[in-house]
Amino acid sequence: MDDRLAAINLSPFQLRNMLKTVVIIIDEHFDILYVNDAALAMLETGLKQIHDRKFYEFFVDDGVERLTFEDALRNQEDFSETEVQLCFKDGRCILTDMTATCFDIDGQRMMLLEIKQIDKQKKITQEALQYAQQEAAKELVRGLAHEIKNPLGGIRGAAQLLEKELTNPEQKEFTQMIIDQSDRLSSLVDRLLGPNSLPQMKWTNIHEVIEKVRSVIYAQTLQDIAIEIERDYDPSIPDLYVDPDMLQQALLNIARNSMQALKSDKTQNACIRLKTRVERQSVIKGKRHGLSALISIIDNGPGIPKELRDTIFYPMVTTKQNGSGLGLSIAQNLTDHHDGKIDVESYPGHTEFTLYLPIKKRHE
């Protein structure tokens, strides 16, 4: 054995507290008997505050499957579950893998819980998969656009030539209808393809861009429904090398989606929060960036339906009756121009879209 390994003398208590995996021991009454440091961090409490508290007290009513634990303790059956979402009373929700081991000491039934947070790993995997799917969808749309626009141009041209030959005004109405519908389809295809101009990059204070977005949505709330708009900015964020108009359009598309969700749900005390932060070591499309600016648009609406969460950035995907389903797709395209990404977290009462934009130094 290596002499250095032999010299390491750690107690079992020290080893447990060095683990990143959450370890919690509860009894059959759900009283917490033991927690390691990782568990205290997850529960966001201290060792003194954990005494005389039951495990489920930290979670909202449906934030943890209490019956699962009761059955396991009663029958002394171990279980493992993947992708378990734990929702806390302070509004946090985390995704975990959980293993429960039942044991008996002096006739007292107990359970050892091992909880591993998997949000970050799952997000990275999901982002890679979604990015590949979105790129495939873009290529499909580009191919379809080419196949649609060519015959559309021919149809429009033929209608214009036919209109010149007609003398009956009623017949000209039909040729004009063909021209109008051809223009409408052509415009829809252009919107599917996204912006057709190169970004005009310059060093920009992103809070100035966000304030313009706030002014627009505030004006719309005065005309439509009462929505409180909150600001939570980090003034330390430096100027970013972006196209301010493109960035403003991307944020507006997301903010309008939030407004429409709040309106259709008739949310009580409707609120949209604009938040900025800096994050270190962000992974964007498989590339690690030392510093990234985060712009979040948060609303307290009904949340995004679970069946749409993986496809909301695809063209023509929408929950609105008269929606085009292009707002988020265009926002994604505009963000791609800045080497950024859009992340979304949603559950009832909380939907958060976050734009990640790499912070570059001026000499770069």
Side-chain angles (χ1 to χ4, degrees):
M1 182 183 292
D2 193 314
D3 291 339
R4 291 173 297 174
L5 291 176
I8 297 175
N9 184 20
L10 294 174
S11 69
F13 177 80
Q14 290 174 308
L15 286 172
R16 286 193 297 270
N17 280 331
M18 289 172 66
L19 290 173
K20 297 299 181 185
T21 301
V22 170
V23 177
I24 301 174
I25 298 177
I26 61 175
D27 65 14
E28 57 187 329
H29 304 295
F30 283 85
D31 291 324
I32 298 175
L33 305 177
Y34 170 81
V35 291
N36 66 347
D37 286 350
L40 293 175
M42 182 190 76
L43 298 174
E44 292 190 353
T45 188
L47 195 58
K48 291 182 179 179
Q49 290 75 31
I50 207 86
H51 291 302
D52 301 323
R53 298 208 44 195
K54 297 186 181 297
F55 177 64
Y56 57 78
E57 288 181 14
F58 290 92
F59 307 94
V60 295
D61 291 341
D62 58 348
V64 63
E65 291 290 343
R66 186 173 168 182
L67 287 175
T68 304
F69 296 99
E70 288 177 349
D71 290 342
L73 278 164
R74 186 186 310 111
N75 302 318
Q76 289 289 281
E77 293 178 348
D78 303 342
F79 68 88
S80 294
E81 292 190 12
T82 59
E83 298 187 11
V84 178
Q85 191 170 52
L86 300 178
C87 294
F88 297 85
K89 287 185 176 178
D90 59 8
R92 291 180 298 126
C93 279
I94 61 173
L95 197 65
T96 66
D97 286 345
M98 183 183 297
T99 300
T101 305
C102 296
F103 59 97
D104 190 303
I105 296 180
D106 297 330
Q108 185 180 8
R109 293 178 178 180
M110 300 181 189
M111 177 183 286
L112 170 68
L113 295 173
E114 299 172 71
I115 303 171
K116 185 177 181 181
Q117 192 168 340
I118 60 170
D119 299 74
K120 290 185 178 179
Q121 299 95 310
K122 187 171 178 62
K123 272 187 178 179
I124 292 171
T125 304
Q126 281 183 330
E127 284 168 7
L129 178 61
Q130 288 173 354
Y131 181 64
Q133 291 173 336
Q134 287 163 8
E135 287 301 304
K138 285 180 188 176
E139 288 302 316
L140 177 62
V141 168
R142 290 191 189 104
L144 286 173
H146 178 75
E147 294 299 322
I148 291 171
K149 291 197 78 170
N150 281 346
L152 267 182
I155 292 169
R156 191 184 193 283
Q160 286 177 315
L161 290 172
L162 180 61
E163 188 176 42
K164 291 178 181 179
E165 300 295 325
L166 296 174
T167 56
N168 187 333
E170 291 183 0
Q171 292 177 328
K172 284 189 176 184
E173 286 183 15
F174 294 116
T175 56
Q176 189 58 48
M177 185 185 300
I178 296 171
I179 293 169
D180 290 344
Q181 292 303 311
S182 297
D183 289 342
R184 187 184 69 83
L185 285 173
S186 181
S187 175
L188 176 61
V189 170
D190 288 337
R191 290 168 64 199
L192 281 170
L193 291 172
N196 55 11
S197 59
L198 292 173
Q200 304 297 312
M201 299 291 201
K202 60 181 181 181
W203 293 102
T204 306
N205 183 326
I206 60 167
H207 294 116
E208 292 180 2
V209 177
I210 300 169
E211 278 298 289
K212 290 180 181 178
V213 173
R214 188 191 69 84
S215 298
V216 172
I217 60 177
Y218 176 71
Q220 291 180 356
T221 59
L222 292 178
Q223 302 170 3
D224 204 348
I225 57 172
I227 298 177
E228 184 180 355
I229 302 173
E230 297 179 353
R231 290 174 284 185
D232 182 6
Y233 297 159
D234 181 352
S236 69
I237 298 176
D239 289 354
L240 300 186
Y241 196 58
V242 298
D243 182 322
D245 292 333
M246 283 190 173
L247 183 58
Q248 181 178 329
Q249 186 61 55
L251 293 172
L252 266 176
N253 287 2
I254 296 171
R256 282 174 177 152
N257 264 27
S258 294
M259 289 177 60
Q260 289 163 356
L262 293 168
K263 179 183 176 181
S264 62
D265 186 59
K266 298 180 180 177
T267 302
Q268 297 294 319
N269 302 317
C271 177
I272 293 176
R273 185 153 63 102
L274 306 173
K275 184 177 78 171
T276 60
R277 290 292 186 270
V278 172
E279 183 173 277
R280 297 181 181 276
Q281 304 302 324
S282 296
V283 178
I284 303 175
K285 297 174 186 174
K287 183 178 179 182
R288 186 175 294 278
H289 296 272
L291 286 175
S292 297
L294 276 57
I295 307 173
S296 298
I297 298 177
I298 307 163
D299 70 67
N300 61 342
I304 300 168
K306 191 173 182 180
E307 62 272 14
L308 292 183
R309 288 177 194 171
D310 293 333
T311 58
I312 55 171
F313 293 106
Y314 290 0
M316 313 305 287
V317 174
T318 181
T319 58
K320 300 184 285 290
Q321 286 185 345
N322 300 317
S324 64
L326 295 176
L328 292 179
S329 175
I330 291 171
Q332 181 75 278
N333 285 336
L334 294 171
T335 307
D336 286 344
H337 280 301
H338 296 83
D339 299 325
K341 69 174 183 178
I342 303 178
D343 186 27
V344 59
E345 179 183 1
S346 183
Y347 49 87
H350 181 95
T351 297
E352 181 172 353
F353 284 88
T354 302
L355 272 71
Y356 286 71
L357 300 172
I359 297 177
K360 299 175 182 178
K361 295 180 181 178
R362 289 183 181 262
H363 69 263
E364 292 182 81

